[in-house]
Amino acid sequence: MRIAVVGTGHVGLTTCISLAVFGHDVVGTDVEEEKIALLSKGVSPFFEPGIEDLLKQEMESGRLRFSADPSVAIPGAEVVFICVGTPPKMTGEASLIAVEAAARTVARYAEGRTVVVEKSTVPAGTAQRVRRTLVQERPEMADGFEVVSNPEFLREGHAVEDSLNPDRILVGAESEWAREVIRKVYEPLTAKGTPLIETDIATAELAKHACNAFLALKISFANALARICELSDADVDAVVDVMGADARIGRAFLNAGLGWGGSCFPKDLQAFQRLSERLGYPFPLLEEVTRINTDAIDSVVSKIEDALWNLEGKKIALLGLAFKPGTDDVRAAPALALARRLIELGADVIGYDPEAMGPAKAEVPDLETAPDAYEALLDAHCLVLCTEWDEFKHLNLERVKSQMAYPVVVDGRNMFEGTDMEAQGFTYYPTGRRALK
Ligand code: UDX
């Protein structure tokens, strides 16, 4: 099928590549010409494991092309995916300016019957607005446009595998014709058993918010438990293992730590809150989920203060700056929220991350950076493990201790073993377990 993808960010580029892998003829377009210039050379504008190899492979196969010119990308496409950003406004609501602009562009250049797929995360009701925009722009095509909601569930750092092997495909559509077109798009996945869930449009839009809110709630539940475990001599990891052994609960997304960040959870939770208020059923549980997440940072600050007393003039090394391992994305990264707090409190903060150093420095200019973990730890009074990159598991603890001014470790992701830390003589503050001091 001939498919156009509008927006080539994380979701858009992954969509372009996976659709090409499924055998479709794909053209990606973006208003950011620099992005298209990079992509046209086979270079990904962001770090994502495996994405560049597949990008090159699909471009060489001839199935995937990019053009900054929508008059090249859109005409002739049976299906157009809208994958533009929906950043939060000051109010917390999702800004839909880019979605509207994309809809206008699609309307202008579409030829013949076209299924317009909303893949960006948007509040329930957006598809109707998109449809209205399409028809306002091209009244003569009123019967030619079908809007479909097809939310994306991919995780950064696993974007390629998640889009090539999703748990499920969700499609909200109104007409059998549109449903049939989308079945054809995803036939290579459904043929190998991936479930395709078909709903109405509002249900699909809402389901995406519900999934992200529930995942964030699971993490915040574990983080609240962690605080209680620290006060009661229980072990949060063991508690969540017990919970996870119950098939009704499941173990995933119950890891206590520095909390959740990234480009989706914080913005989607806020947008869901605002949507529920607007609809007349406020959802204060979501506010509490966010409060507990902020509390996870406060808890780490308290541990550092417990170990170091005053922070003025103390050097604190943060290992891991990305919002999670496997990405260079620092949007709403808990490590950066912590860095800002510690800098405010007068500490000298130095950070190291295998991928995210440039973006982190751009976000927090007062954050010093080091070329590797050991360098960051030189004369540090405290090490805070913020992001659980694999390479930190293999640190030589003896060398770490010999380089630090004080042997204090605050483990924001429970990556180290308490027994190893004790054996090396560290003062060790894990998450959700009593400190060893
Ligand atoms: C998330 C959703 O998982 C994905 O389905 C959706 O499409 C986009 O948002 P992503 O933002 O890539 O994906 O990150 P994810 O892997 O879900 O992690 C989110 C945050 O939660 C990270 O900061 C991570 O460190 C944190 N996390 C995750 C925990 O603190 N504990 C856990 O148990 C799991």
Side-chain angles (χ1 to χ4, degrees):
M1 297 168 85
R2 168 75 170 83
I3 298 179
V5 177
V6 181
T8 55
H10 242 99
V11 169
L13 179 56
T14 316
T15 301
C16 285
I17 292 174
S18 52
L19 291 171
V21 170
F22 301 156
H24 301 303
D25 173 15
V26 184
V27 186
T29 185
D30 201 297
V31 288
E32 288 182 46
E33 293 188 10
E34 321 80 74
K35 245 187 209 170
I36 294 296
L38 279 177
L39 288 166
S40 301
K41 286 187 252 163
V43 178
S44 167
F46 51 84
F47 171 74
E48 180 66 43
I51 206 160
E52 224 163 67
D53 289 346
L54 265 186
L55 169 67
K56 288 199 178 92
Q57 174 194 303
E58 291 311 307
M59 288 174 76
E60 275 160 23
S61 76
R63 287 185 292 263
L64 177 58
R65 285 166 293 141
F66 296 93
S67 172
D69 183 353
S71 73
V72 172
I74 293 168
E78 280 172 80
V79 187
V80 182
F81 282 80
I82 296 185
C83 302
V84 295
T86 53
K89 297 196 277 199
M90 293 294 278
T91 55
E93 282 173 302
S95 162
L96 300 173
I97 293 171
V99 175
E100 186 187 337
R104 262 200 249 108
T105 306
V106 175
R108 193 162 320 136
Y109 297 107
E111 290 175 347
R113 247 183 142 182
T114 311
V115 175
V116 179
V117 185
E118 162 192 282
K119 220 178 212 331
S120 310
T121 301
V122 291
T126 305
Q128 276 173 344
R129 307 289 322 203
V130 169
R131 193 182 145 66
R132 216 188 293 168
T133 304
L134 292 165
V135 175
Q136 276 166 345
E137 287 288 319
R138 287 282 290 279
E140 78 282 9
M141 285 265 293
D143 296 329
F145 291 121
E146 278 283 347
V147 181
V148 162
S149 166
N150 172 219
E152 185 53 66
F153 295 101
L154 61 83
R155 296 162 300 165
E156 285 182 32
H158 301 266
V160 173
E161 62 184 272
D162 283 355
S163 56
L164 295 179
N165 300 295
D167 288 341
R168 75 304 207 186
I169 305 158
L170 172 60
V171 180
E174 243 134 49
S175 77
E176 185 50 26
W177 169 67
R179 272 191 282 274
E180 197 45 54
V181 169
I182 299 298
R183 281 179 208 140
K184 237 169 84 190
V185 170
Y186 288 111
E187 209 272 329
L189 286 181
T190 50
K192 61 176 188 175
T194 307
L196 174 73
I197 305 173
E198 296 182 338
T199 66
D200 58 77
I201 294 175
T203 302
E205 289 172 331
L206 201 83
K208 166 73 192 201
H209 274 319
C211 288
N212 276 356
F214 193 75
L215 291 170
L217 176 140
K218 280 189 92 175
I219 302 168
S220 284
F221 193 93
N223 279 332
L225 280 180
R227 302 292 83 75
I228 296 166
C229 288
E230 284 163 7
L231 297 168
S232 64
D233 261 350
D235 175 343
V236 76
D237 291 327
V239 172
V240 297
D241 281 348
V242 173
M243 292 173 64
D246 185 326
R248 294 169 302 175
I249 298 174
R251 177 65 182 79
F253 277 68
L254 282 177
N255 292 322
L258 210 51
W260 40 266
S263 65
C264 291
F265 284 179
K267 128 178 126 58
D268 290 355
L269 243 82
Q270 271 194 21
F272 196 18
Q273 240 168 273
R274 296 291 94 81
L275 175 73
S276 59
E277 280 160 16
R278 187 157 52 76
L279 294 172
Y281 187 83
F283 201 167
L285 177 61
L286 302 181
E287 255 160 65
E288 188 56 12
V289 169
T290 302
R291 190 198 61 76
I292 295 169
N293 199 47
T294 312
D295 206 40
I297 311 268
D298 296 345
S299 158
V300 168
V301 173
S302 304
K303 288 170 185 167
I304 301 171
E305 285 177 329
D306 183 57
L308 304 186
W309 194 8
N310 296 301
L311 299 191
E312 283 85 357
K314 300 272 169 49
K315 179 174 172 185
I316 300 173
L318 306 185
L319 295 193
L321 302 168
F323 85 98
K324 65 172 188 178
T327 175
D328 62 356
D329 197 340
V330 295
R331 282 176 286 179
L336 296 193
L338 177 65
R340 284 191 196 95
R341 285 282 302 281
L342 296 172
I343 291 168
E344 266 167 36
L345 291 167
D348 297 328
V349 184
I350 183 156
Y352 165 72
D353 188 283
E355 295 292 342
M357 221 106 81
K361 187 83 189 147
E363 281 285 311
V364 186
D366 289 337
L367 173 74
E368 277 179 66
T369 50
D372 65 42
Y374 294 108
E375 195 91 12
L377 291 166
L378 206 61
D379 299 325
H381 296 91
C382 178
L383 176 173
V384 188
L385 192 289
C386 298
T387 312
E388 66 278 32
W389 287 95
D390 258 351
E391 70 169 70
F392 301 142
K393 265 189 210 149
H394 310 297
L395 284 175
N396 177 334
L397 294 178
E398 216 177 304
R399 186 171 165 200
V400 166
K401 192 174 169 213
S402 72
Q403 261 168 256
M404 293 180 71
Y406 294 173
V408 177
V409 173
V410 178
D411 192 345
R413 298 287 174 188
N414 282 354
M415 194 172 197
F416 300 116
E417 290 295 332
T419 43
D420 294 345
M421 302 311 279
E422 201 167 23
Q424 292 291 339
F426 281 101
T427 300
Y428 178 57
Y429 293 81
T431 303
R433 279 201 294 273
R434 192 166 283 276
L436 304 172
K437 43 183 177 170

